Amino acid sequence: GLPAFTIVGLADKAVSEARERVRGALQAIGLALPPKKISVNLAPADIVKEGSHFDLPIALAVLGAMQAIPMDAFQNFLAMGELSLNGQIRPVSGVLPATLHAHDQGWGIICPSTNGAEAAWIEGADILAPDHLLALINHQKGSQILLPPTAPTETAAALTLPDFADIKGQDTAKRALEIAAAGGHNVLMSGPPGSGKSMLASRVPGILPPLTPMEALEVSMIQSLAGTLQDGRIARARPYRDPHHSASQPALVGGGLRAKPGEISLAHHGVLFLDELPEFDRATLEALRQPLETGSVMIARANHHVSYPARFQLIAAMNPCRCGFLSDPRRACSRAPKCGTDYQAKLSGPLLDRFDLFVEVPPVSIEDLQALPSGEPSVSIAARVARARDRALQRSEQRWGTKLINAQLQGQALEDVALLDETGRQMMQ
């Protein structure tokens, strides 16, 4: 047939444009496409192909068909990367989970040099991380050696997280958040504007224990898929996400054109803080009910069925009414109690049922702010939280053979460790 460069297999716009990027990259290294019909088949043909990470494997396949490199040169490698018109290999998202999959299959991986650091976290993986297409070809021919990438070294500098010592007063709320941090419980704080709800929530990550190696890998793989993993550094601190109340449902639970992970997955093993909870769209909040119960979210679209982990700790804050002063004796709400009833009715019963602790956060007077000394620092609270979590994890491992924090206990396990005595039962009734 006539000279042509065709990509088949339900390719989206980004994949279809790979033709011009591959053509330009080959010209940049001194190779011209032969005047023939070139067909690139992306199998299976009934699945939509998306993204620019197909550029590099298409270029390698074309080079093999042109006999510029042997057809089996990279037979046991998974390749991903975007090509510039000058042959540079640009970074793409999802390299960390791709490297883990390739290593499990016994393959090597070819990825952009910018992504080499995150791929290097998979111990024993065979990694080629060129910065240019010509460097990869020269490595295959033996005229250049690509050194294996190394994972970033850990820095000793601690993260500068907000400290509980900054908060004056609110001892009840601070005690409640300490209990919630120890057990991984969900918390809803209610109080007038300026009482310190957002300040309290932002200091919770500073008292949570660091991620375990397996948790850090899970969190980093989600960040890799979302394209937010910085410089290939594995996450060590627990994530803290605080989306604005105008966030859409796909932004919160995941979805969109490529079914990317949402805020609840980016908060996996960490904290999701929703400020001004009743101001969120009702359908968006109702979408949280199942992930809060199961610890995962299934994004079902016409072209995608993707399951992401979403075991997060939900901390929410709200005003008692629209004007915010329903519970403030000094600035009484003029439309009480209807203002508060209507405002709180935006939250459904099933959603409220997912909160383990409800905390009233009263206003702090100017006199108290001036008189009270600084509170207890986060370091001291974090030590108690760590001890409590260790005891809970050891207890669950000894009894049931698996490590569970208190919030994950259910059924018979919950009755074994948290059975109410008579006084507690009377209070609950």
Side-chain angles (χ1 to χ4, degrees):
L2 295 174
F5 192 165
T6 308
I7 298 178
V8 298
L10 282 183
D12 74 345
K13 186 67 173 175
V15 181
S16 298
E17 289 175 348
R19 296 173 301 190
E20 301 308 317
R21 291 193 293 273
V22 169
R23 190 192 307 274
L26 294 183
Q27 288 177 348
I29 64 174
L31 292 174
L33 290 175
K36 297 181 179 180
K37 183 175 182 179
I38 301 171
S39 297
V40 177
N41 181 36
L42 303 178
D46 58 341
I47 296 179
V48 176
K49 318 303 185 306
E50 299 173 338
S52 60
H53 54 276
F54 287 101
D55 292 6
L56 182 58
I58 289 175
L60 294 178
V62 170
L63 287 170
M66 293 168 56
Q67 298 183 351
I69 60 174
M71 285 294 291
D72 58 352
F74 302 107
Q75 184 173 357
N76 295 320
F77 278 85
L78 184 154
M80 57 193 305
E82 177 185 329
L83 286 176
S84 295
L85 296 181
N86 62 358
Q88 294 284 339
I89 304 177
R90 295 173 50 82
V92 292
S93 60
V95 169
L96 182 59
T99 306
L100 182 62
H101 173 72
H103 184 56
D104 290 342
Q105 300 295 323
W107 306 332
I109 184 166
I110 304 171
C111 66
S113 60
T114 312
N115 297 119
E118 63 179 280
W121 285 106
I122 306 302
E123 196 170 337
D126 186 8
I127 305 168
L128 295 177
D131 61 351
H132 197 280
L133 182 60
L134 187 58
L136 182 61
I137 297 174
N138 290 338
H139 174 82
Q140 189 276 324
K141 294 181 177 299
S143 58
Q144 182 178 348
I145 299 297
L146 289 176
L147 297 176
T150 57
T153 56
E154 292 299 314
T155 58
L159 292 173
T160 55
L161 296 174
D163 199 300
F164 265 100
D166 302 333
I167 298 177
K168 295 184 178 183
Q170 305 297 8
D171 293 334
T172 301
K174 287 190 282 189
R175 176 63 177 161
L177 289 176
E178 179 181 341
I179 294 171
H185 302 294
N186 302 325
V187 183
L188 176 58
M189 295 182 288
S190 176
S195 57
K197 303 183 295 294
S198 300
M199 280 186 68
L200 286 161
S202 65
R203 280 146 179 81
V204 172
I207 64 174
L208 293 173
L211 293 168
T212 65
M214 185 54 67
E215 289 174 342
L217 184 61
E218 290 180 17
V219 170
S220 298
M221 284 197 291
I222 296 171
Q223 292 176 350
S224 177
L225 283 170
T228 60
L229 194 62
Q230 296 295 326
D231 301 324
R233 296 188 180 277
I234 292 291
R236 293 301 185 191
R238 293 188 180 272
Y240 176 79
R241 308 290 299 186
D242 54 346
H244 191 259
H245 59 75
S246 62
S248 64
Q249 183 174 329
L252 200 63
V253 302
L257 183 62
R258 300 182 184 174
K260 283 195 170 184
E263 292 290 337
I264 63 174
S265 295
L266 291 170
H268 183 55
H269 291 314
V271 174
L272 177 68
F273 175 50
L274 300 183
D275 201 3
E276 308 293 349
L277 187 66
E279 300 297 334
F280 280 83
D281 181 69
R282 186 184 182 95
T284 301
L285 290 180
E286 296 304 311
L288 297 177
R289 286 159 50 177
Q290 185 179 4
L292 282 169
E293 199 73 27
T294 63
S296 63
V297 57
M298 171 65 77
I299 301 171
R301 300 290 186 269
N303 298 326
H304 295 284
H305 287 77
V306 185
S307 178
Y308 289 121
R311 191 167 297 282
F312 58 94
Q313 182 176 354
L314 177 60
I315 297 179
M318 62 178 288
N319 295 326
C321 65
R322 180 169 291 281
C323 70
F325 301 108
L326 181 67
S327 58
D328 191 344
R330 297 170 304 172
R331 301 180 63 178
C333 177
S334 60
R335 297 180 58 243
K338 190 175 185 303
C339 176
T341 304
D342 294 345
Y343 193 65
Q344 295 173 22
K346 293 183 176 183
L347 305 178
S348 67
L351 178 64
L352 291 174
D353 189 54
R354 266 67 175 181
F355 288 99
D356 307 306
L357 291 170
F358 293 83
V359 185
E360 292 286 344
V361 186
V364 181
S365 66
I366 296 177
E367 294 77 16
D368 289 339
L369 286 173
Q370 292 174 340
L372 287 171
S374 296
E376 188 178 13
S378 293
V379 175
S380 303
I381 303 175
R384 293 197 298 270
V385 170
R387 288 196 297 270
R389 280 214 178 190
D390 287 341
R391 285 198 298 271
L393 294 173
Q394 291 173 10
R395 177 187 62 199
S396 63
E397 188 174 27
Q398 291 171 358
R399 294 193 182 189
W400 308 292
T402 181
K403 291 186 175 183
L404 299 172
I405 58 176
N406 289 344
Q408 296 170 347
L409 297 178
Q410 53 185 316
Q412 187 62 42
L414 190 61
E415 294 182 4
D416 289 346
V417 301
L419 194 63
L420 292 174
D421 57 15
E422 186 59 31
T423 306
R425 190 178 295 108
Q426 291 177 3
M427 185 186 73
M428 291 299 294
Q429 289 174 350

